[in-house]
């Protein structure tokens, strides 16, 4: 790193920071601001670098918190930034590096200070610090709240400034600052339903920009623009070894700004950093945060409304009227980006939101002829279930459930992914059975499989084996829990010790899942027996597994068809003689499938599971979204001891 402990330790005594945080008011027109903002640095690329900077400036921030109500210097800094952003678009078109460079530096300082302020005070107290008071001797002439003006300015910057090498950093900083503005949720255990920041973003001057902001954030995600190489957006650095200041910055004390070369000179980015797009990642995080803000008492969340209603650029049909949040986006590009980015929680969450909330996107995706490009990355999440957090796995399972609600999808995707799907479900359930025993995960795993079961055609032998192996796992777990429950009951009769574990609940979960598994097998047999000789083969090979469930009161009805199939085909195999080859057994099964009268199999209602979101989804999604921000945001650091919304091991 370009900074060391000695240079960091000098920050609290730096004359410019001391003046900014001091009690003396600094005019917006003071030359001080040009000096303060004329520094060059490689923006911190991770939370560890920002943590070092934050720890080194604790005393400066504390001083500003104490003095700002009298000095108004935070407001003055914001006013300086706001005045410079008015010329930002022209500066980008004219390649005015200096102007953009200083505006970026101002925003970086604002963002750093804002993050500290938000973590230490209520929104009401924050609002007082953002109240700008222009004084004349003896009276107040102007009394202005700068929060809404700054928020609106940041949104305008994101949607209006063209994304170029010289504007990449300030665009990223604007997105980051909006995330920081919303981060007050991190410091509350309860879900914020009435927030000053939320009110500004969902009403007033920010509201007309809703759809443009959502569209821009989506395109930032789609394009995955990489950060330009260091030095492409600023002047060449001096090489005299005396810091990184040049041009109009030459008069500034180098002791302050050399510490801002964190991760800069002498360090090379890792391959992951070279391949990543900080702006795409940060934009996606801001998008899912905005989309999950709670509705206002008098109006729904406009960002969620925009997510729900946008259409394909190739869709020429008119929007329903009135449609204030309507916009169009290239669905093909969006689909490609979603297929490529499913390794991240936030991309999977975005896919869930679009499939669940936007019927235009869902219809488009289900009509694709290459759905395996999307489904296989989702299945990959389940394949690596031990490495993923539980929320990511849940999102993947819910996506599969939503997709399998459509019969056309089940028919079109079956041949390509049936084996992969069954294999991933097997691995996911095996992990869950042995380590978690989560009913929700079990149910969602099998619900999508159940939706596909009536459409199974020519199941691969390994897929058929995995279906029966799933049942075998559940059967063994059932017997183990039943034995534990029996021993627990005996122990409770002969001991006055503390209460023993409630195995009845575990047994109930296992039996519910076993029934689902039997229903899936039954559905496949009843609807497509003659299409799936491999499933019948696997069923016969493991017929002993089902014996104990024939007379179980919870399974008797659904066992009828399975028992009939086992008996019917076992009889035909016995008639054919002993030591039959696999090929001969399959031939007998195929012949028997034609000979078995269809009316002998009892008809059950078609298995159909539909995803229904919980009544208060924000109780799950808001902590989840902010855990993603906490863990995945680029160059943002929060003290884990300050976080109230979730525990550090959640997500």
């Amino acid at each position: 790193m370009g900074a060391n402990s000695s240079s960091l330790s000098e920050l609290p005594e730096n004359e410019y920071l001391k003046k900014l945080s001091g009690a003396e008011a600094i005019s917006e027109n003071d030359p001080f601001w040009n000096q303060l903002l004329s520094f060059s640095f490689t923006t911190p690329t991770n939370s560890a670098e920002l943590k070092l900077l934050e720890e080194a400036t604790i005393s400066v921030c504390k001083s500003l918190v104490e003095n700002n109500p009298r000095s108004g210097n935070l407001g003055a800094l914001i006013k300086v930034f706001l005045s410079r952003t008015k010329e930002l678009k022209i500066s980008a078109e004219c390649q005015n590096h200096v102007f953009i460079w200083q505006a970026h530096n101002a925003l970086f300082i604002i963002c750093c200070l804002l993050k500290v302020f938000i973590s230490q005070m209520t929104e009401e107290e924050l609002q007082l610090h953002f109240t700008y008071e222009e004084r004349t001797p003896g009276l107040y002439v102007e009394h202005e709240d700068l929060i809404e003006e700054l928020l609106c300015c940041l949104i305008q910057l994101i949607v209006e400034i063209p994304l170029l090498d010289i504007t990449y950093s300030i665009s990223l900083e604007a997105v980051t600052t909006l995330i920081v503005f919303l981060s007050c949720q991190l410091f509350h255990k309860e879900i914020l339903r009435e927030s000053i920041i939320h009110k500004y973003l969902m009403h007033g001057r920010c509201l007309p920009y809703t759809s443009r902001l959502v569209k821009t954030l989506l395109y930032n995600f789609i394009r995955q623009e990489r950060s330009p190489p260091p030095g492409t957006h600023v002047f060449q650095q001096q090489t005299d070894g005396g810091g990184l200041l040049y041009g109009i910055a030459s008069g500034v004390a180098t002791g302050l700004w050399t510490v801002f070369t964190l991760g800069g000179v002498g360090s090379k980015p890792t391959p992951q950093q070279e391949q990543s797009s900080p702006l795409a990642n940060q934009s996606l995080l801001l998008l899912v945060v905005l989309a999950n803000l709670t509705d206002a008492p008098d109006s729904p969340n406009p960002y969620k409304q925009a997510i729900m209603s946008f259409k394909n650029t190739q869709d020429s049909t008119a929007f329903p009227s009135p449609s204030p949040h309507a916009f169009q986006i290239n669905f093909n590009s969006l689909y490609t980006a979603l297929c490529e980015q499913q390794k991240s929680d936030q991309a999977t969450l975005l896919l869930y939101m679009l499939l669940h909330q936007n019927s235009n996107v869902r219809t488009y995706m289900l009509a694709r002829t290459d759905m395996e490009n999307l489904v296989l990355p989702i299945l990959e999440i389940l394949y690596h279930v031990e490495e993923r957090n539980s929320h990511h796995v849940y999102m993947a399972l819910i996506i599969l459930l939503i997709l399998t609600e459509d019969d056309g999808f089940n028919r079109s995707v079956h041949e390509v992914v049936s084996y992969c799907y069954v294999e991933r479900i097997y691995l996911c359930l095996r992990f869950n059975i042995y380590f978690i025993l989560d009913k929700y995960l079990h149910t969602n795993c099998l619900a999508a499989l159940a939706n596909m079961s009536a459409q199974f055609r020519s199941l691969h032998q390994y897929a058929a084996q995995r279906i029966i192996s799933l049942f075998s796992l559940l059967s063994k777990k059932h017997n183990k829990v039943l034995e534990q429950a029996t021993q627990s009951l005996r122990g409770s009769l002969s001991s006055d010790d503390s209460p023993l574990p409630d195995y009845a609940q575990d047994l109930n979960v296992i039996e519910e899942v076993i029934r689902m598994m039997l229903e899936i097998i039954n559905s496949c047999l009843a609807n497509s027996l003659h299409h799936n000789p491999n499933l019948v083969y696997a069923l016969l090979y493991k017929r002993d597994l089902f014996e104990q469930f024939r007379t179980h009161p919870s399974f008797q009805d659904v066992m009828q068809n399975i028992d009939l199939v086992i008996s019917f085909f076992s009889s035909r195999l016995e008639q054919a003689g002993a030591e039959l080859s696999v090929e001969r057994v399959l031939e007998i099964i195929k012949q028997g499938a034609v000979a078995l009268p269809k009316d002998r199999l009892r008809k059950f209602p078609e298995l159909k599971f539909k995803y229904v979101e919980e009544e208060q989804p924000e109780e799950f999604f808001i902590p989840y979204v902010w855990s993603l921000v906490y863990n995945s945001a680029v160059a943002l650091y929060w003290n884990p001891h300050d976080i109230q919304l979730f525990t550090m091991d959640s997500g």
Side-chain angles (χ1 to χ4, degrees), residues 592-609:
V594 175
L596 178 65
K598 292 184 179 179
D599 58 4
R600 290 190 61 185
L601 293 174
R602 178 182 171 184
K603 293 296 182 184
F604 287 85
E606 184 179 359
L607 284 182
K608 269 298 172 187
F609 290 86

Side-chain angles (χ1 to χ4, degrees), residues 385-422:
V385 61
E386 297 178 20
E387 302 168 13
R388 306 290 184 182
N389 70 70
S390 60
H391 289 8
H392 198 186
V393 174
Y394 289 151
M395 288 295 101
L397 290 171
I398 292 170
I399 287 168
L400 292 172
L401 176 56
I402 292 171
L403 293 174
T404 58
E405 290 171 14
D406 183 80
D407 288 337
F409 168 83
N410 293 334
R411 287 191 295 269
S412 65
V413 83
H414 164 67
E415 291 184 4
V416 181
V417 304
S418 62
Y419 168 62
C420 292
Y421 182 82
V422 174

Side-chain angles (χ1 to χ4, degrees), residues 536-576:
V536 177
Y537 184 99
L539 194 64
L540 293 171
Y541 189 75
K542 293 285 188 178
R543 71 190 82 176
D544 292 344
L545 284 174
F546 299 87
E547 187 65 32
Q548 65 175 308
F549 299 106
R550 290 177 62 192
T551 57
H552 195 293
S554 299
F555 311 125
Q556 279 182 320
D557 59 336
V558 78
M559 275 295 300
Q560 289 180 23
N561 286 341
I562 297 172
D563 195 31
L564 173 63
V565 168
I566 290 175
S567 300
F568 177 82
F569 285 97
S570 294
S571 175
R572 295 182 72 92
L573 289 175
E574 289 173 4
Q575 294 172 15

Side-chain angles (χ1 to χ4, degrees), residues 42 168 176 210 221 242 264 287 290 295 297 329 337 340 378 386 389 428 434 471 512 567 590 613:
T42 300
Y168 189 99
T176 302
T210 298
F221 166 69
L287 181 62
L290 290 170
D295 293 337
I329 206 164
E340 293 174 349
I378 297 298
E386 297 178 20
N389 70 70
C428 189
Y434 287 143
F471 186 80
E512 284 187 28
S567 300
K590 290 175 183 177
E613 201 168 64

Side-chain angles (χ1 to χ4, degrees), residues 22 26 32 53 64 101 117 137 143 178 183 216 347 354 374 383 396 425 454 458 519 524 557 564 581 586 626 634:
I26 306 171
F32 165 82
L53 178 61
L64 184 63
W101 166 49
F117 274 52
H143 192 277
L178 281 178
S183 67
T216 302
L354 295 177
L374 184 65
Y383 187 78
I425 291 294
S458 303
E519 288 175 340
C524 188
D557 59 336
L564 173 63
S581 66
L586 286 171
W626 279 105
V634 178

